[in-house]
Every structure is written in structure tokens, then in C-alpha cells.
Amino acid sequence: MRISYIQNKTELSRSTETRISHNLIQKFIDRGHSIILNDCDESCDVILCMNGLSQSLLFNRIQLEYPNIKTVMYVWDCYPWTEYFKNYTEITSYTEIWAPSNEVILRLNEAYGIDINRCKVIKGYTNFFESDNSKIRNDEFVYHPVRYYVDSNYEITNKACKKLNIPLIRSNHVLKEEKYRDVILSCSFLVTEYMEASTGGLTLLEGYYHGKNVLVSDSIYMGARDYFGDRAYYFKDGDFDDFTRMVDYLWNLEYTPDLQERREWCQQYTIDAMVDRILNRLMELV
């Protein structure tokens, strides 16, 4: 299969979506597919825009030049506080829109009136790191791995931990790799406090892989629900007392995780599993 592959320039972005889309390219090539980066010709089987709304101008131009080629746009997130929510270039024509969770599809429907039946969830991946199990421990602190952004629940973890006298680390994406791994291995559990997140933070999966429990909002805009299902713990969104209760519960919870079972379950969120999802769907479309 020959793919017109549209993505942001990696040197201009450190976003999760750009990193993921860039890393997928070599995987497609390794499986015998060819890539035309940020361009197209008549030999292409599909136009795949992996940076969604931020590359919609280029996407629209290319699909207008090649109207007979199937087009797919992957939209990583669609937050109401971003500049492109409702006010960005219109998504004009497409065969299908992909998103990492149903949360993003819901927002696309609200912002652009996009038919949810023309959307499909293609879940993302994370790079699970390996470690000697002897390094997994509980140093008695809570880890909030997701960066700051505008959200109605922002800083409730700070307030709850202060109330309960529980140490908290918020990384805001600034931890060096070695420190980042050690924090995951040594925290008590991970929490994403936000009401809305496209995946909840893929770091949550890395923590779960190493036996750490996960706490997220039960909001319909919390994408982690699609990834974890009943494997995560949930608090009632907008209810600080319930959030505090769940933090206290997990802080005092005694459990022994089945690491082998968790790691087998996490295999669905490797890069190869995401490549499978993408290629299988493209084969169905073309």
C-alpha cells in the first residue's frame, strides 16, 4: 500500500501526537508499505493525515487535488480551550475520521457537527519500559503525570493531598527519562484529575504495566475510560469530596498486583498493536 502521510514537522513540535505519528512511519515501511511525506501523487492508495486539525489546510489542499483517493484524518484531541475548537479551518471532505478515544469523537461532533458514524476509535500506544521487579516499590507519594492545561478540576489533587497530608509529584512533562521511570516505579498510584483528556495520559498505562493503580474522572470527556474500562478507579467528576475519598482509599489500599497478567493486557497498547489497528482499517477502506 502506498500512503500519502501528512504530519507536523518533528523539529517544530514536541507533542505526543507528533511523536507518535513520526514513530509509526518506519513501522509502515518495515511492513512493506511506502510513504510519501506531506505530499501525494496518483499512485497513492490513501491520504492519511496523522496530525488532524493542525494540518487541515494541507490535508484539504491535497484531497482537492486528488479527489478520488480515500482520505482519513486522525484527530488526537479537540479541547474547547484550544484556538481551533469551532474556529479552525473546516474539515471539508473525508472518508473517515479517527481519534484515540470516544471523548475526541464526542467533541468533534459538538464542534463541527461531524457524524459520529463516520468516525472510528484507533487507540494510541506508549513505549513501555522494562525494569527489574525488585525496583518496583511504594515510596509513599502520589504521581500526577499530565501537563497543565485549562480544566475545571485543575489542582484538586494538590488540595486533596494537602488535606490528607499525602506527598504529591506533578511532573508537567519536565522529568528526565531516568527520573521519570523511577517516579513511576516508586509511586503509590497515579492520578489524572482532569475532567477532560483524550487518553487520560498514556503514562497511566506505563504505571499500570508496573503494578500501579490508576485514578481518573468518570466524566464522559475522560478518554482513559476507553483504555482502562473497569481496570481503573474512578471518582465522581466535579465532586471534590468523592475525589478526596478515592485518593484516601487508594493510599491505604493493600494489594499485590499480578504483573504478568497486567503486562499481557498492556500488549494492546504497544506501537506494533497500533500499527496493526491502522493497517487493518486502511485495508478495509481501500
Side-chain angles (χ1 to χ4, degrees):
M1 183 163 46
R2 188 165 173 80
I3 304 171
S4 166
Y5 196 86
I6 302 170
Q7 70 151 40
N8 292 334
K9 293 181 178 179
T10 55
E11 65 269 21
L12 299 179
S13 175
R14 298 176 62 188
S15 69
T16 298
E17 64 176 297
T18 299
R19 173 179 53 80
I20 283 179
S21 63
H22 175 74
N23 291 343
L24 291 171
I25 293 174
Q26 189 59 49
K27 289 290 184 177
F28 294 141
I29 294 173
D30 291 344
R31 297 196 187 193
H33 304 282
S34 60
I35 299 292
I36 300 182
L37 187 61
N38 291 334
D39 205 347
C40 188
D41 61 33
E42 294 289 352
S43 68
C44 289
D45 298 293
V46 66
I47 301 167
L48 176 58
C49 180
M50 287 299 295
N51 285 113
L53 301 179
S54 63
Q55 285 293 334
S56 60
L57 284 173
L58 177 59
F59 178 70
N60 287 341
R61 179 181 65 77
I62 288 178
Q63 66 178 354
L64 286 172
E65 291 181 23
Y66 301 94
N68 296 322
I69 300 178
K70 297 288 182 68
T71 54
V72 176
M73 175 180 281
Y74 194 110
V75 180
W76 187 257
D77 55 46
C78 189
Y79 296 124
W81 45 265
T82 57
E83 74 277 7
Y84 51 71
F85 192 82
K86 295 186 179 180
N87 297 317
Y88 211 78
T89 303
E90 288 186 11
I91 300 173
T92 56
S93 177
Y94 54 88
T95 304
E96 196 165 73
I97 288 182
W98 296 348
S101 68
N102 282 297
E103 180 276 324
V104 179
I105 293 173
L106 178 59
R107 284 300 195 193
L108 286 169
N109 175 261
E110 294 173 355
Y112 299 99
I114 289 173
D115 183 357
I116 61 174
N117 294 316
R118 295 183 66 186
C119 300
K120 185 174 181 63
V121 173
I122 301 289
K123 294 180 183 178
Y125 78 89
T126 192
N127 292 313
F128 296 104
F129 66 89
E130 300 302 327
S131 176
D132 188 328
N133 289 347
S134 65
K135 294 183 179 179
I136 299 173
R137 61 197 189 277
N138 183 357
D139 285 352
E140 298 190 342
F141 65 89
V142 174
Y143 181 34
H144 189 291
V146 183
R147 63 183 172 85
Y148 164 75
Y149 55 78
V150 179
D151 189 274
S152 58
N153 289 342
Y154 180 61
E155 290 196 330
I156 61 171
T157 309
N158 301 54
K159 296 173 184 177
C161 286
K162 183 176 181 179
K163 181 177 181 179
L164 297 169
N165 196 29
I166 293 174
L168 168 67
I169 289 180
R170 299 187 74 115
S171 65
N172 291 319
H173 287 190
V174 297
L175 296 180
K176 299 292 185 180
E177 184 65 22
E178 183 176 354
K179 178 63 175 178
Y180 168 79
R181 294 185 176 193
D182 189 63
V183 167
I184 289 176
L185 294 173
S186 60
C187 69
S188 299
F189 62 91
L190 292 89
V191 57
T192 294
E193 67 192 4
Y194 297 140
M195 176 272 291
E196 179 167 5
S198 59
T199 64
L202 294 171
T203 299
L204 299 180
L205 290 168
E206 296 183 63
Y208 190 81
Y209 184 87
H210 290 289
K212 306 301 181 175
N213 285 328
V214 169
L215 175 63
V216 294
S217 166
D218 68 356
S219 163
I220 61 172
Y221 297 111
M222 172 45 67
R225 301 191 313 161
D226 287 344
Y227 286 73
F228 285 96
D230 60 8
R231 288 175 176 261
Y233 290 87
Y234 297 89
F235 65 91
K236 296 177 183 177
D237 189 68
D239 188 331
F240 176 72
D241 290 339
D242 189 63
F243 177 76
T244 303
R245 179 184 66 82
M246 287 304 301
V247 170
D248 185 55
Y249 172 77
L250 290 175
W251 181 254
N252 291 292
L253 180 65
E254 295 184 5
Y255 71 101
T256 302
D258 185 337
L259 290 176
Q260 181 176 348
E261 190 277 333
R262 287 194 178 202
R263 291 171 179 176
E264 290 175 356
W265 178 83
C266 284
Q267 293 310 301
Q268 64 186 299
Y269 299 122
T270 63
I271 187 171
D272 286 312
M274 186 178 185
V275 171
D276 287 340
R277 288 190 281 273
I278 291 174
L279 292 178
N280 289 342
R281 185 55 183 166
L282 289 180
M283 291 295 188
E284 293 173 352
L285 291 177
V286 304

